[in-house]
Amino acid sequence: MSGGVRLDLGSQPIERGLPPRANGGSRRLVWSRTSTIDSEVKGLPVKPGLLSLALCLLQISVFAQSTGTAIKAPTIPDGALDPTRSLTSSQLESSIHTPLPEQYIWTREDAIPEKPDLKGNWTSEGHTHLDPHYFRRSFQVTTIPSAATLYIGGPGTASVYVNGERVAHFQANMEVNIGSRVTAVDVTHALKSGRNVIAIEAVRGPEVGSSGNSRREVQLTAGRVMAVKIVPAGQGINAPPLLISDAEWKASEKVGSGWQGTGFDDSGWAAADSLGGIESSMEFFQWNGDGGMYAWPGYDGISPFLAHFKLAPVSLLHVYSGSGAMENKESLLTPNNSAEFTVSAGSEPISPTMQPQIMLDFGREVNGRLEFQSDSDQAADVNVSYGESEAEALNQPYLGITPVHVSLGAVVHGPKGAFRYALLRFERGSKIRFRSIQLDGIYYPVKYEGFFQSSDEKLNRMWMVGAYTAHLCMQDDIWDAPKRDRGRWMGDLDVSGRTIEVAFDDHFLMEETLDRLLGDAPITHHVDGIAGYSAFWITGEAEYYRHTGSLPQLQSVHERLVQLLRYMESELDDRKLYANTTHASPYVDWSPELFEDTPEARMATQFEFYAGFREGVYLLRQLHDTQNADAFQNSADAMKAAAQKYLLNESGSFGKRWQTNAYAVLSGLANSSQYQAIWNNSLSGAGRTKYNALIITPYYNYYVISAMAKMGHRAESLDWIRQYWGGMIDEGATSFWEGYDPSWYKEDFHASLQADNSTGYQASLAHGWSSGVTPWLMEQVLGIVPTGAGFSEVDIRPDLIDLQWARGGEPTPRGMLTVDIRKESGYKATIDLPPGTVARVSMPVSELGGSVLVNGTRQTGEAAEDGKREIVVLRTAGHFELLSY
């Protein structure tokens, strides 16, 4: 490129050029959530974490987007897609980190109730409840330190006084994607030997949204928290604190004159309400409520069962030196202590258009935070933008532009989140040396137990990408997504839970998430506040029980299961149709008429309820609760009869929508005699409709492809899978996206994604509900479907469809169950059964009365599927070779 300087690194070049234009044409404004600072500070400037975004706002973007300015990332092989898969040991949080003692506090009058009611609207307050809250605490200082930094996290607005002197005032924009922002202030000058007093006037911080039912997570995500500490060190350096927030603080909604001073009598104030230590509960790590706490010294903010790993970027993009200089860029890819990455940006802040910049590409979606290891004798200020896509990092990063202060010789971190790309702009610092700038990854340790391989390499890739997507969502609970919302949603878990069961056989996190989603007894609201998600909680619990056979876990939810079913019954009208009597959200899918209270959404919810009641009856019979099982069976029968009477149209289907008809089939509410009408009037369009205005997410597409298979249209289902999930693979997906349609715009694919009732970069590129292709391949190609508790009974219906061969395995409580199927002079299946499993194996036969040989011996079976298949029963553990003619 004109004016560029090429640095040759083997066969891959980096180029440094003149300030380029975004998208090869017009320059673009950097998007960010704004905030303002009104400082009255002695010593260091206020550095309120993201609040210093004011330095970065409304500046012209100079991100390089022309070709030839990068070391391009190699394609990550399937086996290396998950960077934690090959780790031989892990650094568990519980072994490397002691939770910090400082606590989240607030006023008692404004605290969330111990058992929040989802109808209480606790997390949709917007710009309301912005009254000031007042806090005081006295503390002792024996010796005045040479440096002292105050950190305050949580409030959106605060005035801070130390010994009667206002040391800082800040105000943040409440329209943010990140909670618990941190402000750092030098207070060395305000301290005195002996007794000191801190006084704070605070207004609640941003609410980031939550469907939780725990007081801790709801209060944190509603912004009604404050954490404080004073550290005897410069900004960004951790040290034993002089002061922390705890239950000894005083708090009030009203104050008298002179409340900021050391002589004010606060004996009439109540003790502050404390939620406990800021790292004491996994509830604090949900929904991005702690997203801004990265700037809190010593804060890790992850559960003790999670682990860390390090990962260097695999390529560099958008390299631009601006008015500064960068040396040894290649050491970012392979850290080299003898030739460290060095940046010079100047001793004073410079315009964003002239700041040195570089983008790190980790080659796949990752979860964690960026880690800077300084090897310099001076500090640096770096602005960090994450993106799941390159375009998101350049144009509209979900977390905005995050200023990171890198203290001399320190190890510091950017915010937690999910991303593939990290754009760095160096605002200040001369000859700053870095040992490394890499990912500090955060992951849940699992072993890949299940596997799938076939003659179709793209299908194999889909299986692995689906498994990796689900693993990315296994964090401090099983989340919908590691970028947004970073929280529990039961509809998402109904799909991702199946992926987790076939790939990882996880118990701990599955049980934790199911339990927390349901909440404590008595059950007084729907799961996540969504009617259909109550049904999906029951179907998810039933799938978990069939896979694990964990009777103690099922017994632990028995009482609440009955309460939930009774609550669902209260939603039915006199005709036994879902009527939304509790005014809950009847959300079904992000598609017109399916995410608000419409007849279509109510009809689909009716079918979801029917599935929930059927599975509830199954679980209750497993618990030998015959009385409740019989009663709810009667309700299920009445719901089916009502749907057949009132919801079936004249064509014999349930309208034209894919989602609605698919779940009618899957739930069992539609009779097999209605399949042809449903196919002709609705589901035959899947894969054949080029432009579908009635969009469908990957979430509900799992139910569509499963219903297609159940109706005998596996070939059409596989064709749709190749177009849909295969389309994401073709577009470079390393994890499956929250929303997708093969016809959507490709040039800036992320900006065109439609999900969450919106379009654009906030759409997640790693969403657990999109992983359904992974269990589908196990269920419909290998044919493995457990029917008894813990695989005590299993149906195996292998079907190559158009493949030449396929093999795979699924974990069971008593060992691996593997299936290998091939077309060899007929149809050959090799099956390894673990102990305690009875398998009904359905083999295709060439004609009515065809033969099935088991280990060379003909076995009498049961004809099925109009004589096209023969079912044989394997009752013992072992290795079986089945051949059908």
Side-chain angles (χ1 to χ4, degrees), residues 166-215:
R166 189 166 92 158
V167 296
H169 173 80
F170 61 86
Q171 179 177 348
N173 189 326
M174 297 288 280
E175 296 293 333
V176 296
N177 294 324
I178 190 168
S180 298
R181 295 167 175 239
V182 174
T183 298
V185 182
D186 184 348
V187 294
T188 315
H189 62 281
L191 297 179
K192 63 182 181 180
S193 180
R195 179 177 179 267
N196 291 255
V197 174
I198 185 171
I200 300 174
E201 177 185 2
V203 174
R204 77 169 182 86
E207 64 101 352
V208 294
S210 163
S211 72
N213 49 33
S214 155
R215 177 199 176 200

Side-chain angles (χ1 to χ4, degrees), residues 17-192:
L18 297 175
R21 292 185 176 92
N23 293 337
S26 61
R27 297 177 186 264
R28 309 179 71 170
L29 292 181
V30 177
W31 174 92
S32 181
R33 304 288 187 172
T34 61
S35 56
T36 60
I37 307 172
D38 169 21
S39 0
E40 191 173 298
V41 182
K42 313 296 183 186
L44 284 175
V46 176
K47 296 293 290 185
L50 287 178
L51 295 182
S52 63
L53 284 173
L55 298 174
C56 307
L57 302 176
L58 302 180
Q59 302 290 339
I60 296 175
S61 170
V62 296
F63 301 140
Q65 300 210 35
S66 53
T67 60
T69 61
I71 298 178
K72 289 295 185 180
T75 300
I76 305 296
D78 288 359
L81 181 64
D82 189 337
T84 71
R85 186 171 184 175
S86 60
L87 296 181
T88 56
S89 62
S90 62
Q91 279 194 299
L92 283 176
E93 181 73 359
S94 57
S95 65
I96 63 174
H97 181 69
T98 300
L100 296 173
E102 43 267 35
Q103 301 174 16
Y104 285 124
I105 62 173
W106 200 240
T107 56
R108 292 185 180 275
E109 298 92 332
D110 196 40
I112 299 295
E114 193 61 41
K115 182 174 170 54
D117 186 344
L118 290 184
K119 299 176 186 176
N121 204 28
W122 300 111
T123 59
S124 301
E125 298 173 325
H127 294 293
T128 65
H129 294 264
L130 298 181
D131 298 327
H133 303 259
Y134 302 91
F135 304 87
R136 282 176 55 90
R137 179 75 156 94
S138 63
F139 60 101
Q140 295 291 322
V141 175
T142 304
T143 303
I144 303 296
S146 59
T149 307
L150 164 73
Y151 297 91
I152 176 171
T157 302
S159 293
V160 184
Y161 301 83
V162 174
N163 295 325
E165 176 186 357
R166 189 166 92 158
V167 296
H169 173 80
F170 61 86
Q171 179 177 348
N173 189 326
M174 297 288 280
E175 296 293 333
V176 296
N177 294 324
I178 190 168
S180 298
R181 295 167 175 239
V182 174
T183 298
V185 182
D186 184 348
V187 294
T188 315
H189 62 281
L191 297 179
K192 63 182 181 180

